[in-house]
Amino acid sequence: MSKQLDISDVHLRELEDEAIYVLREVAAQFDKKVILFSGGKDSIVMVHLARKAFWPARMPFSLMHIDTGHNFEETLIFRDNLVRELGVELIVRYVQETIDQGKVVEETGVNASRNKAQSVTLLDAIDELKIDVAVGGARRDEEKARAKERFFSHRNEFGQWDPKNQRPELWNIFNGHKNFGEHFRVFPLSNWTELDVWQYILCESVKLPSLYYTHRRKIFQRNNVYLAWAPFMKLKSSENVFEADVRCRTIGDITCTGVTISKATSAEEVIAEIAATRITERGGRYDDMRSDTSMEDRKKEGYF
């Protein structure tokens, strides 16, 4: 296990204790439970916390990854290495299979992405495996729709989220009661910020994919956002691919994951960079730019 937090990091200790309390509540209230694992820093921190919450026993969660087929190779390598290290079950479901089954129609054109199609693949997996709860690394500071979330987010029999019909969570009392066919999404990092996550990563020496630190990559610019380039991506006639030193602030489907021009090669340098920036973490997420309510619309449809 990693080193313990310094006792002077009172704020981080309180956040860690809160997240561990939520994870233990999940373990106590639900039977079939998974951690939604994207290979991003938040889901990696979630796994780290789950490991600590039940140490020295094995954490009582499987990891579930919804694979769009357009992932960063570094993310998949990191995922597989982590699963081997932890000795836990990895459940992978593929968006390509959902497309092949005719359940979704793949987008075409220069702005095509499989990001939205993940919702169908995820809901099918939850139904197939009779999952009671899916634990995610979403935080309230990320986006205005996520700011409406409770820790325990109830989903109806269709996997949909109703922001106007959520249960009160007074004194951290969580109600996990559900009817047949319903499930919960739980977000133990709800009260964390991007800066908190990175300070915790530094204190706990949490390993991350190399994508989070400065590296050389082929990119292009679209609507004031730098995007990583991949051979399957279509470019506009005005767009050109070039190499630059960049890092990712969030990681998802390559088609919508913005990158940041950066020289930060360590957690300390990333923290200094975040503290100085005025651009939000999801300011580089191209999928959030489709409409002012794009995240909330996707959440209502069953998105993470």
Side-chain angles (χ1 to χ4, degrees), residues 134-204:
V135 180
R139 311 185 320 269
R140 292 185 181 126
D141 77 315
E142 289 182 90
E143 203 271 345
K144 57 188 177 183
R146 283 183 168 167
K148 301 177 182 179
E149 282 281 15
R150 299 284 201 269
F151 280 101
F152 276 41
S153 181
H154 175 261
R155 304 300 172 101
N156 65 22
E157 65 271 28
F158 303 106
Q160 296 174 330
W161 172 70
D162 181 0
K164 296 180 181 180
N165 185 27
Q166 297 192 76
R167 298 169 182 179
E169 295 181 341
L170 305 177
W171 306 289
N172 279 354
I173 297 175
F174 303 117
N175 181 358
H177 175 75
K178 64 181 184 63
N179 296 316
F180 181 78
E182 298 174 344
H183 73 279
F184 275 82
R185 309 287 174 87
V186 173
F187 305 105
L189 303 185
S190 290
N191 289 332
W192 297 50
T193 66
E194 181 188 14
L195 193 58
D196 292 331
V197 170
W198 273 102
Q199 289 174 333
Y200 187 77
I201 288 167
L202 175 61
C203 287
E204 289 281 288

Side-chain angles (χ1 to χ4, degrees), residues 6 10 14 31 33 51 57 70 119 131 147 200 225 229 245 264:
D6 190 287
V10 176
E14 290 175 345
D31 294 321
K33 38 197 174 284
R51 190 181 184 189
H70 294 162
S119 300
I131 290 170
Y200 187 77
V225 174
W229 175 83
D245 292 328

Side-chain angles (χ1 to χ4, degrees), residues 212-250:
Y212 277 108
Y213 303 104
T214 295
H215 58 286
R216 198 75 174 171
R217 182 172 292 277
K218 291 182 178 181
I219 66 172
F220 64 98
Q221 189 174 25
R222 176 175 294 168
N223 296 339
N224 297 319
V225 174
Y226 290 112
L227 294 171
W229 175 83
F232 57 80
M233 298 175 70
K234 296 181 180 180
L235 299 176
K236 300 177 182 178
S237 58
S238 59
E239 295 171 341
N240 298 302
V241 176
F242 61 97
E243 288 192 354
D245 292 328
V246 298
R247 71 175 190 86
C248 296
R249 289 178 72 180
T250 66

Side-chain angles (χ1 to χ4, degrees), residues 68 70-72 113-115 251-257 285:
T68 66
H70 294 162
N71 297 291
F72 290 95
S113 174
R114 292 183 172 181
N115 200 50
I251 293 178
D253 189 287
I254 292 176
T255 59
C256 58
T257 300
R285 290 282 299 197

Side-chain angles (χ1 to χ4, degrees), residues 37-45 72-82 198 201 206-215 217 246-252 264-267 270:
F37 189 80
S38 66
K41 67 184 186 307
D42 298 315
S43 60
I44 292 169
V45 167
F72 290 95
E73 183 179 359
E74 296 93 327
T75 303
L76 299 181
I77 293 172
F78 184 94
R79 177 199 70 186
D80 293 342
N81 289 339
L82 180 63
W198 273 102
I201 288 167
V206 179
K207 295 179 182 179
L208 298 178
S210 58
L211 296 165
Y212 277 108
Y213 303 104
T214 295
H215 58 286
R217 182 172 292 277
V246 298
R247 71 175 190 86
C248 296
R249 289 178 72 180
T250 66
I251 293 178
T265 59
S266 65
V270 170

Side-chain angles (χ1 to χ4, degrees), residues 94-106 114 121:
Y94 299 93
V95 172
Q96 183 62 56
E97 293 182 359
T98 305
I99 294 170
D100 293 343
Q101 292 165 4
K103 294 181 178 179
V104 296
V105 177
E106 185 162 18
R114 292 183 172 181
T121 309

